[in-house]
Amino acid sequence: AQSVAQPEDQVNVAEGNPLTVKCTYSVSGNPYLFWYVQYPNRGLQFLLKYITGDNLVKGSYGFEAEFNKSQTSFHLKKPSALVSDSALYFCAVRDSGTNAGKSTFGDGTTLTVKP
Amino acid sequence: NAGVTQTPKFQVLKTGQSMTLQCAQDMNHNSMYWYRQDPGMGLRLIYYSASEGTTDKGEVPNGYNVSRLNKREFSLRLESAAPSQTSVYFCASGSRPLGGEKLFFGSGTQLSVL
């Protein structure tokens, strides 16, 4: 079985400050890890993914995430937050041997960046 | 480039009514998926189709049926709607069922069952 946890329902940061959105996961095999962002009344949009290789993954809009196998974490980060980053963020995981659509999504973290 | 298109965007049903949610993608993707999104529960997979001509149950298939009409289109049907099916429904597609590819999502259908 696979699972993913986003321990924070809400993250608030000031514009210009660094941000972190946390994600931990559990899979029986090798993980494929993803971050998606959802703006109001829109579908999810892909931000970045970890498949293999470098633990630090860079994605869209200046976001990056660090894969930590020992801590089974894949936290999303950005050095300097923008008000336009305010949205709902989902972490997703799946075992590398399973169908892409069988990814398990976290419950989501609402990021609010205040001016 | 339209990507994944869902219709309708909004729908209100009475308990027991039926309806079909339509989804089409123009990216020549093999796999397509239906998810539902409920507050505080993330996305849950209802049904998926790894390729044209195949469909499989996901995590929460009860009360739903699907049809993979062709490579582009994947519809979701509620035969007898129930209030528990009030949710936001998302269709998604992916280029390869296995592998590290990302999913592309439609903009969603907000369904209310009274």
Coordinates of all heavy atoms in Angstrom, one line a residue, chain A residues 57-100:
Chain A
V57 N 15.2 18.5 -6.8 CA 14.5 18.6 -8.1 C 14.0 20.1 -8.3 O 13.4 20.6 -7.3 CB 13.3 17.7 -8.1 CG1 12.6 17.8 -9.4 CG2 13.8 16.2 -7.9
K58 N 14.3 20.6 -9.4 CA 13.8 22.0 -9.7 C 12.6 21.9 -10.6 O 12.6 21.1 -11.6 CB 14.9 22.8 -10.3 CG 16.1 23.1 -9.3 CD 17.1 24.0 -9.9 CE 18.2 24.2 -9.0 NZ 17.8 24.8 -7.7
G59 N 11.6 22.7 -10.4 CA 10.4 22.7 -11.2 C 10.0 24.1 -11.7 O 10.8 25.0 -11.8
S60 N 8.7 24.2 -11.9 CA 8.1 25.4 -12.5 C 8.1 26.5 -11.5 O 8.0 26.2 -10.3 CB 6.7 25.1 -13.0 OG 6.7 24.0 -13.9
Y61 N 8.0 27.7 -11.9 CA 7.8 28.9 -11.1 C 8.8 29.1 -10.0 O 8.5 29.7 -9.0 CB 6.4 28.9 -10.6 CG 5.3 28.6 -11.6 CD1 4.5 27.5 -11.4 CD2 5.2 29.4 -12.8 CE1 3.5 27.2 -12.4 CE2 4.2 29.1 -13.7 CZ 3.4 28.0 -13.5 OH 2.4 27.7 -14.5
G62 N 10.0 28.6 -10.1 CA 11.0 28.7 -9.1 C 10.9 27.8 -7.9 O 11.7 27.9 -6.9
F63 N 10.0 26.8 -8.0 CA 9.9 25.8 -6.9 C 10.9 24.7 -7.1 O 11.4 24.4 -8.2 CB 8.5 25.2 -6.9 CG 7.4 26.1 -6.4 CD1 6.7 26.9 -7.2 CD2 7.2 26.1 -5.0 CE1 5.7 27.8 -6.7 CE2 6.2 26.9 -4.5 CZ 5.5 27.8 -5.3
E64 N 11.3 24.1 -5.9 CA 12.1 23.0 -5.9 C 11.7 22.1 -4.8 O 10.9 22.5 -3.9 CB 13.6 23.4 -5.7 CG 13.9 24.2 -4.5 CD 15.3 24.8 -4.4 OE1 15.9 25.0 -5.5 OE2 15.8 25.0 -3.3
A65 N 12.1 20.8 -4.8 CA 11.8 19.9 -3.8 C 13.0 19.0 -3.5 O 13.7 18.7 -4.4 CB 10.6 19.1 -4.1
E66 N 13.1 18.6 -2.3 CA 14.2 17.7 -1.9 C 13.7 16.3 -1.5 O 12.9 16.2 -0.6 CB 15.1 18.3 -0.8 CG 16.3 17.5 -0.5 CD 17.3 18.3 0.4 OE1 16.9 19.3 1.0 OE2 18.4 17.8 0.6
F67 N 14.2 15.3 -2.2 CA 13.9 13.9 -1.8 C 14.8 13.5 -0.7 O 16.0 13.6 -0.9 CB 14.0 13.1 -3.1 CG 13.9 11.6 -2.8 CD1 12.8 11.0 -2.3 CD2 15.0 10.8 -3.0 CE1 12.7 9.7 -2.1 CE2 14.9 9.4 -2.8 CZ 13.8 8.9 -2.3
N68 N 14.3 13.0 0.3 CA 15.1 12.5 1.5 C 14.6 11.1 1.7 O 13.5 10.9 2.4 CB 14.9 13.4 2.7 CG 15.9 13.0 3.8 OD1 16.0 11.8 4.1 ND2 16.5 13.9 4.4
K69 N 15.4 10.1 1.3 CA 14.9 8.7 1.4 C 14.9 8.2 2.9 O 13.9 7.5 3.2 CB 15.9 7.8 0.6 CG 15.4 6.4 0.5 CD 16.3 5.5 -0.4 CE 15.7 4.1 -0.6 NZ 16.5 3.3 -1.5
S70 N 15.8 8.7 3.7 CA 15.9 8.2 5.0 C 14.7 8.7 5.9 O 14.2 8.1 6.7 CB 17.2 8.6 5.7 OG 17.3 10.0 5.7
Q71 N 14.3 9.9 5.5 CA 13.1 10.5 6.2 C 11.8 10.4 5.5 O 10.8 10.8 5.9 CB 13.4 12.0 6.5 CG 14.6 12.3 7.4 CD 14.8 13.7 7.7 OE1 14.0 14.6 7.3 NE2 15.8 14.0 8.5
T72 N 11.9 9.7 4.4 CA 10.7 9.5 3.5 C 9.9 10.8 3.3 O 8.7 10.8 3.5 CB 9.8 8.3 4.0 OG1 9.3 8.7 5.3 CG2 10.5 7.0 4.0
S73 N 10.7 11.8 2.9 CA 10.1 13.1 2.7 C 10.3 13.7 1.4 O 11.3 13.3 0.7 CB 10.5 14.1 3.8 OG 11.9 14.4 3.7
F74 N 9.5 14.6 1.0 CA 9.7 15.3 -0.3 C 9.0 16.7 -0.2 O 8.0 17.0 -0.7 CB 9.0 14.5 -1.4 CG 9.2 15.0 -2.8 CD1 10.5 15.0 -3.3 CD2 8.2 15.3 -3.7 CE1 10.8 15.5 -4.6 CE2 8.4 15.7 -5.0 CZ 9.7 15.8 -5.4
H75 N 9.7 17.5 0.6 CA 9.2 18.9 0.9 C 9.4 19.8 -0.3 O 10.5 19.8 -0.9 CB 9.9 19.4 2.1 CG 9.8 18.6 3.4 ND1 8.7 17.8 3.6 CD2 10.6 18.4 4.4 CE1 8.8 17.2 4.8 NE2 10.0 17.5 5.3
L76 N 8.4 20.6 -0.5 CA 8.4 21.6 -1.5 C 8.9 22.9 -1.0 O 8.5 23.4 0.1 CB 7.0 21.9 -2.1 CG 6.8 22.9 -3.2 CD1 7.4 22.3 -4.5 CD2 5.3 23.2 -3.4
K77 N 9.8 23.6 -1.7 CA 10.4 24.8 -1.2 C 10.5 25.9 -2.3 O 10.5 25.6 -3.5 CB 11.9 24.5 -0.7 CG 11.9 23.5 0.4 CD 13.3 23.3 1.0 CE 13.3 22.3 2.1 NZ 14.6 22.0 2.7
K78 N 10.6 27.1 -1.8 CA 10.9 28.2 -2.7 C 11.6 29.3 -1.9 O 11.2 29.6 -0.8 CB 9.6 28.8 -3.3 CG 9.8 29.8 -4.4 CD 8.5 30.3 -5.0 CE 8.8 31.3 -6.1 NZ 7.6 31.7 -6.8
P79 N 12.7 29.8 -2.4 CA 13.6 30.7 -1.7 C 12.9 32.1 -1.3 O 13.1 32.6 -0.3 CB 14.8 31.0 -2.6 CG 14.8 29.8 -3.5 CD 13.4 29.5 -3.7
S80 N 12.0 32.5 -2.2 CA 11.4 33.8 -2.0 C 9.9 33.8 -2.5 O 9.7 33.7 -3.7 CB 12.2 34.9 -2.8 OG 11.5 36.2 -2.6
A81 N 9.0 33.8 -1.6 CA 7.6 33.6 -2.0 C 7.0 34.8 -2.6 O 7.3 36.0 -2.3 CB 6.8 33.2 -0.7
L82 N 6.0 34.6 -3.5 CA 5.3 35.6 -4.2 C 3.8 35.5 -3.8 O 3.3 34.4 -3.5 CB 5.4 35.5 -5.7 CG 6.8 35.6 -6.3 CD1 6.7 35.3 -7.8 CD2 7.4 37.0 -6.1
V83 N 3.1 36.6 -3.8 CA 1.7 36.6 -3.5 C 1.0 35.7 -4.5 O 0.0 34.9 -4.1 CB 1.1 38.0 -3.6 CG1 -0.4 38.0 -3.5 CG2 1.7 38.9 -2.5
S84 N 1.4 35.6 -5.7 CA 0.8 34.8 -6.8 C 1.1 33.3 -6.5 O 0.4 32.5 -7.2 CB 1.3 35.2 -8.1 OG 2.8 35.1 -8.2
D85 N 1.9 33.0 -5.6 CA 2.1 31.5 -5.2 C 1.0 31.0 -4.3 O 0.9 29.8 -4.1 CB 3.4 31.3 -4.5 CG 4.6 31.6 -5.3 OD1 4.5 31.4 -6.6 OD2 5.7 32.0 -4.8
S86 N 0.1 31.9 -3.9 CA -1.0 31.5 -3.0 C -1.9 30.5 -3.8 O -2.4 30.9 -4.8 CB -1.8 32.7 -2.6 OG -1.0 33.6 -1.8
A87 N -2.1 29.3 -3.3 CA -2.8 28.3 -4.0 C -2.9 27.0 -3.1 O -2.4 27.0 -1.9 CB -2.2 27.9 -5.3
L88 N -3.5 26.0 -3.6 CA -3.6 24.7 -2.9 C -2.6 23.8 -3.5 O -2.5 23.6 -4.7 CB -5.0 24.1 -3.0 CG -5.3 22.8 -2.4 CD1 -5.1 22.9 -0.9 CD2 -6.8 22.5 -2.6
Y89 N -1.7 23.2 -2.7 CA -0.6 22.3 -3.2 C -0.8 20.9 -2.8 O -1.1 20.6 -1.6 CB 0.7 22.8 -2.6 CG 1.1 24.2 -3.3 CD1 0.6 25.4 -2.8 CD2 2.0 24.2 -4.3 CE1 0.9 26.6 -3.4 CE2 2.3 25.4 -4.9 CZ 1.8 26.6 -4.4 OH 2.1 27.8 -5.0
F90 N -0.6 20.0 -3.7 CA -0.8 18.6 -3.5 C 0.5 17.8 -3.7 O 1.1 18.0 -4.8 CB -1.9 18.0 -4.4 CG -3.3 18.4 -4.1 CD1 -3.9 19.4 -4.7 CD2 -4.0 17.7 -3.1 CE1 -5.2 19.8 -4.4 CE2 -5.3 18.1 -2.8 CZ -5.9 19.2 -3.5
C91 N 0.8 17.0 -2.8 CA 1.9 16.0 -3.0 C 1.3 14.7 -3.4 O 0.2 14.4 -3.0 CB 2.7 15.9 -1.7 SG 4.1 14.7 -1.7
A92 N 2.0 14.0 -4.3 CA 1.5 12.7 -4.8 C 2.6 11.7 -4.8 O 3.7 12.1 -5.1 CB 0.8 12.8 -6.1
V93 N 2.3 10.4 -4.6 CA 3.3 9.4 -4.6 C 2.7 8.2 -5.3 O 1.5 7.9 -5.2 CB 3.8 9.0 -3.2 CG1 2.6 8.4 -2.4 CG2 5.0 8.1 -3.2
R94 N 3.6 7.4 -5.9 CA 3.2 6.1 -6.4 C 4.4 5.2 -6.5 O 5.5 5.7 -6.6 CB 2.4 6.1 -7.7 CG 3.3 6.6 -8.9 CD 2.4 6.6 -10.1 NE 3.1 7.1 -11.3 CZ 3.8 6.3 -12.1 NH1 3.9 5.0 -11.9 NH2 4.3 6.9 -13.2
D95 N 4.1 3.9 -6.3 CA 5.2 3.0 -6.5 C 5.6 2.9 -7.9 O 4.8 3.0 -8.8 CB 4.7 1.6 -6.0 CG 5.8 0.6 -5.9 OD1 6.4 0.2 -7.0 OD2 6.1 0.1 -4.8
S96 N 6.9 2.9 -8.2 CA 7.4 3.0 -9.5 C 6.9 1.9 -10.5 O 6.9 2.0 -11.7 CB 8.9 2.9 -9.5 OG 9.4 1.7 -9.0
G97 N 6.3 0.8 -9.9 CA 5.8 -0.3 -10.8 C 4.3 -0.2 -11.1 O 3.8 -1.1 -11.7
T98 N 3.7 0.9 -10.7 CA 2.2 1.0 -10.8 C 1.8 2.0 -11.8 O 2.6 2.9 -12.2 CB 1.6 1.3 -9.5 OG1 2.1 2.6 -9.0 CG2 1.8 0.2 -8.4
N99 N 0.6 1.9 -12.2 CA 0.0 2.9 -13.2 C 0.0 4.3 -12.7 O -0.2 4.6 -11.5 CB -1.4 2.4 -13.4 CG -2.1 3.2 -14.5 OD1 -2.4 4.4 -14.3 ND2 -2.4 2.6 -15.6
A100 N 0.3 5.2 -13.6 CA 0.4 6.6 -13.2 C -0.9 7.2 -12.5 O -0.8 7.9 -11.6 CB 0.7 7.5 -14.4

